[in-house]
Amino acid sequence: SKEHDLFLELGSQRKLPIKDIIKAHPSSIAALYIFYRYYSYRLSPEEIKEAIDLLDPSLKETDYVKVLNELANTLSKVSIGQKAPDFAANTINGTNVHLYDVLGKGYVLIDFWASWCAPCRKENPNLIKLYEKYKAKNFEIVGISLDNKTEPWINAIEKDGLQWAQWIDKNAWAGEGVKNYGVRLIPSNFLIDKEGV
């Protein structure tokens, strides 16, 4: 179809600004999908809303736009200066824990990652250096795994030598932390200060 051909064409031009793509194709479901799939994770809440405003009204009730609006609202809640949302996960021992259990004592870096994620594993040595440098200065890291099985996750922790708190949400991409923080890509990190901001 014409939309499929346009999808392939736009897929090869992903360095163009999304506003330019939408302005050129405001009523195209292919352009909307490119926006949803390949751009949304790297845009600010304001940029997402500006791009949505450029869409033809015929697309504004689609599921893609609903998800994009939800993402913009979520990202606004975790932007700089906002109170960090709480969420629950499980420790290696299966104990249920909340983010709020570790806040208020110092700085906390939340690291969303997974054992199967090559960029995450490549980033781990940098996190180890960061942790060694600042752990004595009230700095903690909390790793939140998006693995849906514990064995590969535990093996990755041991193999990579991760010494900080490791939690898992077996709901992975449908988990509470991912939802509350608008995570669309991993590794994804959030630094929270002593006041939980």
Side-chain angles (χ1 to χ4, degrees), residues 15-93:
K15 293 191 179 186
L16 289 174
I18 191 58
K19 286 184 186 178
D20 293 349
I21 291 172
I22 294 174
K23 284 177 186 175
H25 310 281
S27 59
S28 166
I29 194 75
L32 173 55
Y33 182 75
I34 291 287
F35 169 27
Y36 163 81
R37 179 69 177 88
Y38 299 110
Y39 283 82
S40 63
Y41 69 89
R42 55 185 163 150
L43 298 174
S44 71
E46 296 77 22
E47 291 169 323
I48 292 171
K49 290 189 182 255
E50 287 169 8
I52 289 171
D53 288 343
L54 297 172
L55 292 167
D56 186 84
S58 64
L59 295 176
K60 301 244 173 131
E61 296 302 317
T62 63
D63 286 341
Y64 294 128
V65 172
K66 288 176 186 172
V67 170
L68 288 165
N69 274 317
E70 287 174 13
L71 177 63
N73 291 334
T74 299
L75 293 176
S76 293
K77 293 176 187 172
V78 293
S79 62
I80 294 170
Q82 298 299 314
K83 186 87 172 161
D86 193 23
F87 63 90
N90 291 304
T91 66
I92 290 176
N93 300 326

Side-chain angles (χ1 to χ4, degrees), residues 107-163:
Y107 292 90
V108 177
L109 181 74
I110 306 172
D111 175 40
F112 289 93
W113 74 292
S115 66
W116 46 261
C117 168
C120 301
R121 303 291 295 277
K122 190 174 180 181
E123 184 63 19
N124 281 340
N126 294 323
L127 290 177
I128 290 169
K129 288 177 191 171
L130 185 73
Y131 185 66
E132 288 299 320
K133 184 174 181 180
Y134 293 107
K135 69 180 179 181
K137 298 179 180 180
N138 291 324
F139 173 76
E140 280 298 326
I141 299 175
V142 176
I144 309 297
S145 172
L146 302 187
D147 286 277
N148 52 20
K149 295 182 180 175
T150 55
E151 187 176 338
W153 168 57
I154 292 171
N155 289 340
I157 293 168
E158 291 173 2
K159 184 173 183 182
D160 292 2
L162 308 181
Q163 300 297 311

